[in-house]
Amino acid sequence: MKNQTYKIAIIGVGQLGSRHLQGLAKSSKEFRIYVIDPNENALILAKQRYEEVSKSTNSIVSYHQSMNDLPDNFDLAIIATTANARRKIIVDLLDKCSIKYLILEKVVFQKSEDFRPIQKLLLEKSVKTWVNCARRSYLFYKKIKNELGADKLSIEVKGNNWGLACNGIHMIDLLAFLTEKTDIKINTNELEDIIVDSKRNGFKELKGTLKIQTSRDDILVLNDSDKYNENLKISISNGSMQFNIYEGQGMIVKHTSDNERQEEKISIPFQSDLTGSIVDQILDTGESDLTPYVECMKYHIPMLDAFNDHISKVTGQTVTICPIT
């Protein structure tokens, strides 16, 4: 019997979208993939990257500059555009196509008021949706969660130029995953009174210290400062044990209350190594290790509001569209 061919759309194939495409090449399933990006150069690069890793003829990929070229239905779509375009793309895509599953890149939107109308639309269209906060899918974070148990946690993230604003949602999501708490309060008092240019053209970044507290008083402290080196360090403690995670070096150091020290090597998967297995899991089970949209919305909104308040204070202008992606 012929294998099923799944229809997949990738909207936006910049740096991240093209890695999603590479990841699909590593799936054992057969796909009919439609790649959409208005930028012809992005499509050319995506095609090159796909052909670098594609070893089979199981899947057919076509490249388009307009969503008008899409068929009427898809099993799954990945929207990997920048955040400023994402709401309109979701609306336009679901107006044109019937889609069973949807994966959204983060930051999901730049405006907190975009979340609930899109949630309503996703419910109306019966589209099961996740946000690509992938750390909760890593085996070593699952293991750490199991070892920490249900105790109250303290997490600290330190580094320089790691993108506190655009990547902070990954750390807040890690807090939510480890504690299973999604109600948070955010304190921006120790952020620096400067707005810096992001590595991504046209977007902004923040420096300093951001503090997040859950409803049961778990604490997450995010530090992005020139006084730290570029190597990101994530420390997670429940009072009786502490895990120091050096993702860039592929190392975890565990300390226990009786001064025992254990080192473990870890492997951080690239997006091109993740997407195939993530999509396979969704298509096989209807579930995903990624963050459900409704859960991620609960801490996206207060994070964006806190950033907008801080940027408004620094610039002296009312900001309602958070300039991060």
Side-chain angles (χ1 to χ4, degrees), residues 86-87 90-91 94 102 104 108-109 111-129 131 292-298 301:
R86 194 166 287 121
R87 177 176 178 173
I90 293 171
V91 171
L94 296 185
L102 189 60
L104 304 176
V108 178
F109 306 118
K111 296 167 66 177
S112 58
E113 57 262 37
D114 286 345
F115 281 89
R116 288 190 174 87
I118 292 299
Q119 179 194 13
K120 183 172 181 286
L121 178 63
L122 295 171
L123 286 171
E124 288 172 355
K125 300 281 188 178
S126 299
V127 186
K128 203 165 185 180
T129 304
V131 178
Y293 175 89
V294 173
E295 178 177 336
C296 211
M297 178 177 77
K298 291 178 181 177
I301 290 173

PDB file of all heavy atoms in Angstrom, residues 86-87 90-91 94 102 104 108-109 111-129 131 292-298 301:
ATOM      1  N   ARG A  86       2.808  38.383  11.502  1.00  0.00           N
ATOM      2  CA  ARG A  86       2.237  37.053  11.732  1.00  0.00           C
ATOM      3  C   ARG A  86       0.711  37.038  11.839  1.00  0.00           C
ATOM      4  O   ARG A  86       0.062  36.133  11.311  1.00  0.00           O
ATOM      5  CB  ARG A  86       2.868  36.412  12.971  1.00  0.00           C
ATOM      6  CG  ARG A  86       2.568  34.907  13.065  1.00  0.00           C
ATOM      7  CD  ARG A  86       3.459  34.213  14.071  1.00  0.00           C
ATOM      8  NE  ARG A  86       4.802  34.084  13.553  1.00  0.00           N
ATOM      9  CZ  ARG A  86       5.889  34.600  14.132  1.00  0.00           C
ATOM     10  NH1 ARG A  86       5.774  35.294  15.251  1.00  0.00           N
ATOM     11  NH2 ARG A  86       7.077  34.440  13.601  1.00  0.00           N
ATOM     12  N   ARG A  87       0.114  38.037  12.497  1.00  0.00           N
ATOM     13  CA  ARG A  87      -1.354  38.004  12.643  1.00  0.00           C
ATOM     14  C   ARG A  87      -2.035  38.024  11.270  1.00  0.00           C
ATOM     15  O   ARG A  87      -2.933  37.215  11.013  1.00  0.00           O
ATOM     16  CB  ARG A  87      -1.854  39.172  13.493  1.00  0.00           C
ATOM     17  CG  ARG A  87      -3.381  39.187  13.580  1.00  0.00           C
ATOM     18  CD  ARG A  87      -3.930  40.273  14.486  1.00  0.00           C
ATOM     19  NE  ARG A  87      -5.399  40.250  14.473  1.00  0.00           N
ATOM     20  CZ  ARG A  87      -6.165  40.983  15.257  1.00  0.00           C
ATOM     21  NH1 ARG A  87      -5.624  41.798  16.149  1.00  0.00           N
ATOM     22  NH2 ARG A  87      -7.486  40.895  15.177  1.00  0.00           N
ATOM     23  N   ILE A  90      -1.659  34.676   9.482  1.00  0.00           N
ATOM     24  CA  ILE A  90      -2.549  33.641  10.020  1.00  0.00           C
ATOM     25  C   ILE A  90      -3.963  33.842   9.497  1.00  0.00           C
ATOM     26  O   ILE A  90      -4.618  32.894   9.034  1.00  0.00           O
ATOM     27  CB  ILE A  90      -2.539  33.659  11.566  1.00  0.00           C
ATOM     28  CG1 ILE A  90      -1.166  33.241  12.101  1.00  0.00           C
ATOM     29  CG2 ILE A  90      -3.623  32.721  12.121  1.00  0.00           C
ATOM     30  CD1 ILE A  90      -1.012  33.440  13.595  1.00  0.00           C
ATOM     31  N   VAL A  91      -4.447  35.078   9.554  1.00  0.00           N
ATOM     32  CA  VAL A  91      -5.806  35.372   9.090  1.00  0.00           C
ATOM     33  C   VAL A  91      -5.951  35.051   7.605  1.00  0.00           C
ATOM     34  O   VAL A  91      -6.902  34.378   7.185  1.00  0.00           O
ATOM     35  CB  VAL A  91      -6.157  36.852   9.370  1.00  0.00           C
ATOM     36  CG1 VAL A  91      -7.471  37.224   8.694  1.00  0.00           C
ATOM     37  CG2 VAL A  91      -6.249  37.104  10.872  1.00  0.00           C
ATOM     38  N   LEU A  94      -5.747  31.142   6.967  1.00  0.00           N
ATOM     39  CA  LEU A  94      -6.932  30.384   7.374  1.00  0.00           C
ATOM     40  C   LEU A  94      -8.175  30.808   6.603  1.00  0.00           C
ATOM     41  O   LEU A  94      -9.150  30.047   6.540  1.00  0.00           O
ATOM     42  CB  LEU A  94      -7.154  30.527   8.882  1.00  0.00           C
ATOM     43  CG  LEU A  94      -6.049  29.943   9.768  1.00  0.00           C
ATOM     44  CD1 LEU A  94      -6.438  30.028  11.237  1.00  0.00           C
ATOM     45  CD2 LEU A  94      -5.730  28.505   9.390  1.00  0.00           C
ATOM     46  N   LEU A 102      -1.004  23.708  13.277  1.00  0.00           N
ATOM     47  CA  LEU A 102      -0.242  24.923  13.009  1.00  0.00           C
ATOM     48  C   LEU A 102       0.877  25.068  14.038  1.00  0.00           C
ATOM     49  O   LEU A 102       0.660  24.873  15.235  1.00  0.00           O
ATOM     50  CB  LEU A 102      -1.183  26.130  13.082  1.00  0.00           C
ATOM     51  CG  LEU A 102      -0.679  27.502  12.647  1.00  0.00           C
ATOM     52  CD1 LEU A 102      -0.229  27.500  11.198  1.00  0.00           C
ATOM     53  CD2 LEU A 102      -1.780  28.538  12.866  1.00  0.00           C
ATOM     54  N   LEU A 104       3.665  27.978  15.231  1.00  0.00           N
ATOM     55  CA  LEU A 104       4.003  29.398  15.128  1.00  0.00           C
ATOM     56  C   LEU A 104       5.373  29.652  15.735  1.00  0.00           C
ATOM     57  O   LEU A 104       5.702  29.111  16.803  1.00  0.00           O
ATOM     58  CB  LEU A 104       2.972  30.261  15.857  1.00  0.00           C
ATOM     59  CG  LEU A 104       1.516  30.094  15.438  1.00  0.00           C
ATOM     60  CD1 LEU A 104       0.621  30.956  16.324  1.00  0.00           C
ATOM     61  CD2 LEU A 104       1.323  30.449  13.967  1.00  0.00           C
ATOM     62  N   VAL A 108       5.347  35.456  19.179  1.00  0.00           N
ATOM     63  CA  VAL A 108       4.201  35.169  18.314  1.00  0.00           C
ATOM     64  C   VAL A 108       3.686  36.443  17.652  1.00  0.00           C
ATOM     65  O   VAL A 108       3.524  36.506  16.426  1.00  0.00           O
ATOM     66  CB  VAL A 108       3.079  34.477  19.110  1.00  0.00           C
ATOM     67  CG1 VAL A 108       1.875  34.236  18.203  1.00  0.00           C
ATOM     68  CG2 VAL A 108       3.570  33.143  19.665  1.00  0.00           C
ATOM     69  N   PHE A 109       3.403  37.463  18.458  1.00  0.00           N
ATOM     70  CA  PHE A 109       2.948  38.758  17.950  1.00  0.00           C
ATOM     71  C   PHE A 109       3.710  39.871  18.663  1.00  0.00           C
ATOM     72  O   PHE A 109       4.331  39.643  19.702  1.00  0.00           O
ATOM     73  CB  PHE A 109       1.444  38.970  18.181  1.00  0.00           C
ATOM     74  CG  PHE A 109       0.568  37.880  17.634  1.00  0.00           C
ATOM     75  CD1 PHE A 109      -0.228  37.120  18.491  1.00  0.00           C
ATOM     76  CD2 PHE A 109       0.528  37.620  16.273  1.00  0.00           C
ATOM     77  CE1 PHE A 109      -1.033  36.116  18.001  1.00  0.00           C
ATOM     78  CE2 PHE A 109      -0.276  36.606  15.777  1.00  0.00           C
ATOM     79  CZ  PHE A 109      -1.056  35.856  16.635  1.00  0.00           C
ATOM     80  N   LYS A 111       1.896  42.708  19.418  1.00  0.00           N
ATOM     81  CA  LYS A 111       0.826  43.395  20.154  1.00  0.00           C
ATOM     82  C   LYS A 111       0.075  42.375  21.005  1.00  0.00           C
ATOM     83  O   LYS A 111      -0.417  41.364  20.493  1.00  0.00           O
ATOM     84  CB  LYS A 111      -0.136  44.069  19.177  1.00  0.00           C
ATOM     85  CG  LYS A 111       0.492  45.182  18.347  1.00  0.00           C
ATOM     86  CD  LYS A 111      -0.392  45.593  17.186  1.00  0.00           C
ATOM     87  CE  LYS A 111      -1.678  46.239  17.647  1.00  0.00           C
ATOM     88  NZ  LYS A 111      -2.507  46.697  16.503  1.00  0.00           N
ATOM     89  N   SER A 112      -0.042  42.656  22.294  1.00  0.00           N
ATOM     90  CA  SER A 112      -0.699  41.705  23.191  1.00  0.00           C
ATOM     91  C   SER A 112      -2.172  41.517  22.839  1.00  0.00           C
ATOM     92  O   SER A 112      -2.748  40.445  23.060  1.00  0.00           O
ATOM     93  CB  SER A 112      -0.544  42.141  24.649  1.00  0.00           C
ATOM     94  OG  SER A 112      -1.076  43.432  24.848  1.00  0.00           O
ATOM     95  N   GLU A 113      -2.800  42.558  22.234  1.00  0.00           N
ATOM     96  CA  GLU A 113      -4.223  42.426  21.909  1.00  0.00           C
ATOM     97  C   GLU A 113      -4.472  41.555  20.678  1.00  0.00           C
ATOM     98  O   GLU A 113      -5.631  41.299  20.325  1.00  0.00           O
ATOM     99  CB  GLU A 113      -4.857  43.805  21.702  1.00  0.00           C
ATOM    100  CG  GLU A 113      -4.208  44.655  20.650  1.00  0.00           C
ATOM    101  CD  GLU A 113      -3.234  45.656  21.241  1.00  0.00           C
ATOM    102  OE1 GLU A 113      -2.541  45.329  22.215  1.00  0.00           O
ATOM    103  OE2 GLU A 113      -3.168  46.780  20.710  1.00  0.00           O
ATOM    104  N   ASP A 114      -3.403  41.067  20.023  1.00  0.00           N
ATOM    105  CA  ASP A 114      -3.592  40.161  18.883  1.00  0.00           C
ATOM    106  C   ASP A 114      -3.910  38.731  19.312  1.00  0.00           C
ATOM    107  O   ASP A 114      -4.471  37.954  18.533  1.00  0.00           O
ATOM    108  CB  ASP A 114      -2.331  40.131  18.009  1.00  0.00           C
ATOM    109  CG  ASP A 114      -2.166  41.401  17.182  1.00  0.00           C
ATOM    110  OD1 ASP A 114      -3.144  42.167  17.070  1.00  0.00           O
ATOM    111  OD2 ASP A 114      -1.061  41.615  16.654  1.00  0.00           O
ATOM    112  N   PHE A 115      -3.564  38.374  20.525  1.00  0.00           N
ATOM    113  CA  PHE A 115      -3.636  36.965  20.918  1.00  0.00           C
ATOM    114  C   PHE A 115      -5.058  36.416  20.983  1.00  0.00           C
ATOM    115  O   PHE A 115      -5.342  35.341  20.443  1.00  0.00           O
ATOM    116  CB  PHE A 115      -2.933  36.761  22.271  1.00  0.00           C
ATOM    117  CG  PHE A 115      -1.447  36.692  22.159  1.00  0.00           C
ATOM    118  CD1 PHE A 115      -0.684  37.850  22.230  1.00  0.00           C
ATOM    119  CD2 PHE A 115      -0.811  35.485  21.955  1.00  0.00           C
ATOM    120  CE1 PHE A 115       0.695  37.800  22.112  1.00  0.00           C
ATOM    121  CE2 PHE A 115       0.571  35.414  21.840  1.00  0.00           C
ATOM    122  CZ  PHE A 115       1.320  36.581  21.916  1.00  0.00           C
ATOM    123  N   ARG A 116      -5.960  37.145  21.639  1.00  0.00           N
ATOM    124  CA  ARG A 116      -7.296  36.575  21.853  1.00  0.00           C
ATOM    125  C   ARG A 116      -8.131  36.503  20.575  1.00  0.00           C
ATOM    126  O   ARG A 116      -8.831  35.495  20.369  1.00  0.00           O
ATOM    127  CB  ARG A 116      -8.005  37.337  22.976  1.00  0.00           C
ATOM    128  CG  ARG A 116      -7.385  37.008  24.337  1.00  0.00           C
ATOM    129  CD  ARG A 116      -8.171  37.528  25.530  1.00  0.00           C
ATOM    130  NE  ARG A 116      -7.583  37.038  26.763  1.00  0.00           N
ATOM    131  CZ  ARG A 116      -6.588  37.644  27.416  1.00  0.00           C
ATOM    132  NH1 ARG A 116      -6.079  38.770  26.943  1.00  0.00           N
ATOM    133  NH2 ARG A 116      -6.091  37.141  28.536  1.00  0.00           N
ATOM    134  N   PRO A 117      -8.083  37.511  19.678  1.00  0.00           N
ATOM    135  CA  PRO A 117      -8.793  37.337  18.401  1.00  0.00           C
ATOM    136  C   PRO A 117      -8.273  36.144  17.596  1.00  0.00           C
ATOM    137  O   PRO A 117      -9.066  35.424  16.972  1.00  0.00           O
ATOM    138  CB  PRO A 117      -8.531  38.659  17.672  1.00  0.00           C
ATOM    139  CG  PRO A 117      -8.267  39.647  18.749  1.00  0.00           C
ATOM    140  CD  PRO A 117      -7.557  38.881  19.815  1.00  0.00           C
ATOM    141  N   ILE A 118      -6.964  35.921  17.634  1.00  0.00           N
ATOM    142  CA  ILE A 118      -6.421  34.766  16.907  1.00  0.00           C
ATOM    143  C   ILE A 118      -6.798  33.469  17.610  1.00  0.00           C
ATOM    144  O   ILE A 118      -7.103  32.461  16.950  1.00  0.00           O
ATOM    145  CB  ILE A 118      -4.897  34.895  16.745  1.00  0.00           C
ATOM    146  CG1 ILE A 118      -4.570  36.056  15.801  1.00  0.00           C
ATOM    147  CG2 ILE A 118      -4.296  33.597  16.212  1.00  0.00           C
ATOM    148  CD1 ILE A 118      -5.118  35.915  14.393  1.00  0.00           C
ATOM    149  N   GLN A 119      -6.824  33.476  18.944  1.00  0.00           N
ATOM    150  CA  GLN A 119      -7.290  32.288  19.665  1.00  0.00           C
ATOM    151  C   GLN A 119      -8.713  31.938  19.252  1.00  0.00           C
ATOM    152  O   GLN A 119      -9.041  30.768  19.003  1.00  0.00           O
ATOM    153  CB  GLN A 119      -7.226  32.534  21.176  1.00  0.00           C
ATOM    154  CG  GLN A 119      -7.723  31.345  21.996  1.00  0.00           C
ATOM    155  CD  GLN A 119      -7.976  31.695  23.452  1.00  0.00           C
ATOM    156  OE1 GLN A 119      -8.016  32.877  23.820  1.00  0.00           O
ATOM    157  NE2 GLN A 119      -8.161  30.691  24.284  1.00  0.00           N
ATOM    158  N   LYS A 120      -9.567  32.946  19.151  1.00  0.00           N
ATOM    159  CA  LYS A 120     -10.963  32.740  18.736  1.00  0.00           C
ATOM    160  C   LYS A 120     -11.020  32.163  17.318  1.00  0.00           C
ATOM    161  O   LYS A 120     -11.781  31.228  17.040  1.00  0.00           O
ATOM    162  CB  LYS A 120     -11.713  34.068  18.819  1.00  0.00           C
ATOM    163  CG  LYS A 120     -13.201  34.007  18.490  1.00  0.00           C
ATOM    164  CD  LYS A 120     -13.854  35.348  18.804  1.00  0.00           C
ATOM    165  CE  LYS A 120     -15.356  35.332  18.515  1.00  0.00           C
ATOM    166  NZ  LYS A 120     -15.643  35.372  17.074  1.00  0.00           N
ATOM    167  N   LEU A 121     -10.200  32.710  16.427  1.00  0.00           N
ATOM    168  CA  LEU A 121     -10.173  32.228  15.047  1.00  0.00           C
ATOM    169  C   LEU A 121      -9.700  30.773  14.982  1.00  0.00           C
ATOM    170  O   LEU A 121     -10.281  29.951  14.248  1.00  0.00           O
ATOM    171  CB  LEU A 121      -9.245  33.115  14.209  1.00  0.00           C
ATOM    172  CG  LEU A 121      -9.061  32.725  12.744  1.00  0.00           C
ATOM    173  CD1 LEU A 121     -10.377  32.820  11.982  1.00  0.00           C
ATOM    174  CD2 LEU A 121      -7.987  33.599  12.089  1.00  0.00           C
ATOM    175  N   LEU A 122      -8.672  30.435  15.743  1.00  0.00           N
ATOM    176  CA  LEU A 122      -8.149  29.065  15.743  1.00  0.00           C
ATOM    177  C   LEU A 122      -9.202  28.077  16.253  1.00  0.00           C
ATOM    178  O   LEU A 122      -9.315  26.952  15.741  1.00  0.00           O
ATOM    179  CB  LEU A 122      -6.883  28.983  16.596  1.00  0.00           C
ATOM    180  CG  LEU A 122      -5.670  29.782  16.086  1.00  0.00           C
ATOM    181  CD1 LEU A 122      -4.561  29.787  17.124  1.00  0.00           C
ATOM    182  CD2 LEU A 122      -5.162  29.217  14.762  1.00  0.00           C
ATOM    183  N   LEU A 123      -9.966  28.507  17.255  1.00  0.00           N
ATOM    184  CA  LEU A 123     -11.054  27.660  17.759  1.00  0.00           C
ATOM    185  C   LEU A 123     -12.148  27.489  16.714  1.00  0.00           C
ATOM    186  O   LEU A 123     -12.642  26.376  16.491  1.00  0.00           O
ATOM    187  CB  LEU A 123     -11.628  28.261  19.040  1.00  0.00           C
ATOM    188  CG  LEU A 123     -10.782  28.125  20.303  1.00  0.00           C
ATOM    189  CD1 LEU A 123     -11.366  28.966  21.439  1.00  0.00           C
ATOM    190  CD2 LEU A 123     -10.694  26.654  20.745  1.00  0.00           C
ATOM    191  N   GLU A 124     -12.514  28.596  16.069  1.00  0.00           N
ATOM    192  CA  GLU A 124     -13.566  28.535  15.046  1.00  0.00           C
ATOM    193  C   GLU A 124     -13.174  27.619  13.893  1.00  0.00           C
ATOM    194  O   GLU A 124     -14.008  26.885  13.351  1.00  0.00           O
ATOM    195  CB  GLU A 124     -13.846  29.940  14.506  1.00  0.00           C
ATOM    196  CG  GLU A 124     -14.570  30.854  15.473  1.00  0.00           C
ATOM    197  CD  GLU A 124     -14.647  32.283  14.972  1.00  0.00           C
ATOM    198  OE1 GLU A 124     -14.040  32.580  13.913  1.00  0.00           O
ATOM    199  OE2 GLU A 124     -15.303  33.107  15.645  1.00  0.00           O
ATOM    200  N   LYS A 125     -11.900  27.646  13.535  1.00  0.00           N
ATOM    201  CA  LYS A 125     -11.410  26.864  12.399  1.00  0.00           C
ATOM    202  C   LYS A 125     -10.907  25.476  12.808  1.00  0.00           C
ATOM    203  O   LYS A 125     -10.472  24.695  11.953  1.00  0.00           O
ATOM    204  CB  LYS A 125     -10.269  27.617  11.709  1.00  0.00           C
ATOM    205  CG  LYS A 125     -10.663  28.988  11.166  1.00  0.00           C
ATOM    206  CD  LYS A 125     -11.414  28.883   9.857  1.00  0.00           C
ATOM    207  CE  LYS A 125     -11.633  30.249   9.230  1.00  0.00           C
ATOM    208  NZ  LYS A 125     -12.315  30.167   7.923  1.00  0.00           N
ATOM    209  N   SER A 126     -10.954  25.186  14.117  1.00  0.00           N
ATOM    210  CA  SER A 126     -10.498  23.884  14.652  1.00  0.00           C
ATOM    211  C   SER A 126      -9.058  23.576  14.250  1.00  0.00           C
ATOM    212  O   SER A 126      -8.741  22.486  13.766  1.00  0.00           O
ATOM    213  CB  SER A 126     -11.422  22.758  14.190  1.00  0.00           C
ATOM    214  OG  SER A 126     -12.733  22.967  14.651  1.00  0.00           O
ATOM    215  N   VAL A 127      -8.181  24.565  14.461  1.00  0.00           N
ATOM    216  CA  VAL A 127      -6.764  24.406  14.137  1.00  0.00           C
ATOM    217  C   VAL A 127      -5.986  24.222  15.442  1.00  0.00           C
ATOM    218  O   VAL A 127      -5.910  25.146  16.255  1.00  0.00           O
ATOM    219  CB  VAL A 127      -6.213  25.625  13.377  1.00  0.00           C
ATOM    220  CG1 VAL A 127      -4.779  25.353  12.931  1.00  0.00           C
ATOM    221  CG2 VAL A 127      -7.095  25.973  12.191  1.00  0.00           C
ATOM    222  N   LYS A 128      -5.427  23.055  15.642  1.00  0.00           N
ATOM    223  CA  LYS A 128      -4.635  22.796  16.843  1.00  0.00           C
ATOM    224  C   LYS A 128      -3.266  23.438  16.659  1.00  0.00           C
ATOM    225  O   LYS A 128      -2.577  23.180  15.657  1.00  0.00           O
ATOM    226  CB  LYS A 128      -4.494  21.286  17.060  1.00  0.00           C
ATOM    227  CG  LYS A 128      -4.191  20.892  18.488  1.00  0.00           C
ATOM    228  CD  LYS A 128      -4.424  19.410  18.709  1.00  0.00           C
ATOM    229  CE  LYS A 128      -4.226  19.064  20.170  1.00  0.00           C
ATOM    230  NZ  LYS A 128      -4.455  17.614  20.417  1.00  0.00           N
ATOM    231  N   THR A 129      -2.870  24.287  17.622  1.00  0.00           N
ATOM    232  CA  THR A 129      -1.740  25.189  17.391  1.00  0.00           C
ATOM    233  C   THR A 129      -0.740  25.146  18.542  1.00  0.00           C
ATOM    234  O   THR A 129      -1.125  25.114  19.712  1.00  0.00           O
ATOM    235  CB  THR A 129      -2.246  26.630  17.200  1.00  0.00           C
ATOM    236  OG1 THR A 129      -3.202  26.640  16.139  1.00  0.00           O
ATOM    237  CG2 THR A 129      -1.109  27.574  16.852  1.00  0.00           C
ATOM    238  N   VAL A 131       3.352  26.784  19.825  1.00  0.00           N
ATOM    239  CA  VAL A 131       4.400  27.788  19.643  1.00  0.00           C
ATOM    240  C   VAL A 131       5.745  27.077  19.773  1.00  0.00           C
ATOM    241  O   VAL A 131       5.940  26.234  20.654  1.00  0.00           O
ATOM    242  CB  VAL A 131       4.283  28.911  20.687  1.00  0.00           C
ATOM    243  CG1 VAL A 131       5.414  29.917  20.526  1.00  0.00           C
ATOM    244  CG2 VAL A 131       2.926  29.611  20.548  1.00  0.00           C
ATOM    245  N   PRO A 292       1.510  24.551  23.826  1.00  0.00           N
ATOM    246  CA  PRO A 292       0.207  24.904  23.250  1.00  0.00           C
ATOM    247  C   PRO A 292       0.029  26.421  23.191  1.00  0.00           C
ATOM    248  O   PRO A 292       0.446  27.140  24.105  1.00  0.00           O
ATOM    249  CB  PRO A 292      -0.791  24.261  24.221  1.00  0.00           C
ATOM    250  CG  PRO A 292      -0.032  23.156  24.884  1.00  0.00           C
ATOM    251  CD  PRO A 292       1.376  23.662  24.990  1.00  0.00           C
ATOM    252  N   TYR A 293      -0.596  26.893  22.131  1.00  0.00           N
ATOM    253  CA  TYR A 293      -0.799  28.328  21.922  1.00  0.00           C
ATOM    254  C   TYR A 293      -1.455  28.982  23.137  1.00  0.00           C
ATOM    255  O   TYR A 293      -1.014  30.044  23.599  1.00  0.00           O
ATOM    256  CB  TYR A 293      -1.663  28.537  20.680  1.00  0.00           C
ATOM    257  CG  TYR A 293      -2.053  29.978  20.417  1.00  0.00           C
ATOM    258  CD1 TYR A 293      -1.239  30.809  19.658  1.00  0.00           C
ATOM    259  CD2 TYR A 293      -3.241  30.508  20.928  1.00  0.00           C
ATOM    260  CE1 TYR A 293      -1.590  32.131  19.415  1.00  0.00           C
ATOM    261  CE2 TYR A 293      -3.603  31.827  20.682  1.00  0.00           C
ATOM    262  CZ  TYR A 293      -2.774  32.631  19.933  1.00  0.00           C
ATOM    263  OH  TYR A 293      -3.132  33.937  19.700  1.00  0.00           O
ATOM    264  N   VAL A 294      -2.509  28.361  23.671  1.00  0.00           N
ATOM    265  CA  VAL A 294      -3.262  28.965  24.772  1.00  0.00           C
ATOM    266  C   VAL A 294      -2.390  29.121  26.013  1.00  0.00           C
ATOM    267  O   VAL A 294      -2.496  30.113  26.742  1.00  0.00           O
ATOM    268  CB  VAL A 294      -4.526  28.132  25.088  1.00  0.00           C
ATOM    269  CG1 VAL A 294      -5.221  28.649  26.327  1.00  0.00           C
ATOM    270  CG2 VAL A 294      -5.483  28.155  23.901  1.00  0.00           C
ATOM    271  N   GLU A 295      -1.495  28.157  26.252  1.00  0.00           N
ATOM    272  CA  GLU A 295      -0.599  28.267  27.402  1.00  0.00           C
ATOM    273  C   GLU A 295       0.421  29.371  27.181  1.00  0.00           C
ATOM    274  O   GLU A 295       0.654  30.210  28.059  1.00  0.00           O
ATOM    275  CB  GLU A 295       0.124  26.940  27.654  1.00  0.00           C
ATOM    276  CG  GLU A 295       1.103  27.008  28.814  1.00  0.00           C
ATOM    277  CD  GLU A 295       1.787  25.684  29.135  1.00  0.00           C
ATOM    278  OE1 GLU A 295       1.224  24.627  28.797  1.00  0.00           O
ATOM    279  OE2 GLU A 295       2.873  25.720  29.728  1.00  0.00           O
ATOM    280  N   CYS A 296       1.034  29.387  26.009  1.00  0.00           N
ATOM    281  CA  CYS A 296       2.076  30.378  25.727  1.00  0.00           C
ATOM    282  C   CYS A 296       1.514  31.795  25.747  1.00  0.00           C
ATOM    283  O   CYS A 296       2.204  32.748  26.128  1.00  0.00           O
ATOM    284  CB  CYS A 296       2.722  30.066  24.384  1.00  0.00           C
ATOM    285  SG  CYS A 296       4.460  30.548  24.272  1.00  0.00           S
ATOM    286  N   MET A 297       0.261  31.941  25.340  1.00  0.00           N
ATOM    287  CA  MET A 297      -0.408  33.238  25.353  1.00  0.00           C
ATOM    288  C   MET A 297      -0.430  33.837  26.757  1.00  0.00           C
ATOM    289  O   MET A 297      -0.314  35.055  26.924  1.00  0.00           O
ATOM    290  CB  MET A 297      -1.841  33.058  24.822  1.00  0.00           C
ATOM    291  CG  MET A 297      -2.688  34.310  24.828  1.00  0.00           C
ATOM    292  SD  MET A 297      -4.339  34.022  24.114  1.00  0.00           S
ATOM    293  CE  MET A 297      -5.140  33.164  25.476  1.00  0.00           C
ATOM    294  N   LYS A 298      -0.557  32.991  27.776  1.00  0.00           N
ATOM    295  CA  LYS A 298      -0.712  33.465  29.153  1.00  0.00           C
ATOM    296  C   LYS A 298       0.507  34.233  29.642  1.00  0.00           C
ATOM    297  O   LYS A 298       0.391  35.106  30.505  1.00  0.00           O
ATOM    298  CB  LYS A 298      -0.997  32.285  30.086  1.00  0.00           C
ATOM    299  CG  LYS A 298      -2.359  31.654  29.860  1.00  0.00           C
ATOM    300  CD  LYS A 298      -2.560  30.459  30.784  1.00  0.00           C
ATOM    301  CE  LYS A 298      -3.909  29.806  30.556  1.00  0.00           C
ATOM    302  NZ  LYS A 298      -4.098  28.594  31.394  1.00  0.00           N
ATOM    303  N   ILE A 301       1.541  37.667  26.815  1.00  0.00           N
ATOM    304  CA  ILE A 301       0.841  38.944  26.990  1.00  0.00           C
ATOM    305  C   ILE A 301       1.481  39.809  28.082  1.00  0.00           C
ATOM    306  O   ILE A 301       1.818  40.979  27.831  1.00  0.00           O
ATOM    307  CB  ILE A 301      -0.667  38.714  27.239  1.00  0.00           C
ATOM    308  CG1 ILE A 301      -1.326  38.201  25.950  1.00  0.00           C
ATOM    309  CG2 ILE A 301      -1.350  39.993  27.724  1.00  0.00           C
ATOM    310  CD1 ILE A 301      -2.768  37.770  26.110  1.00  0.00           C
TER     311      ILE A 301
END
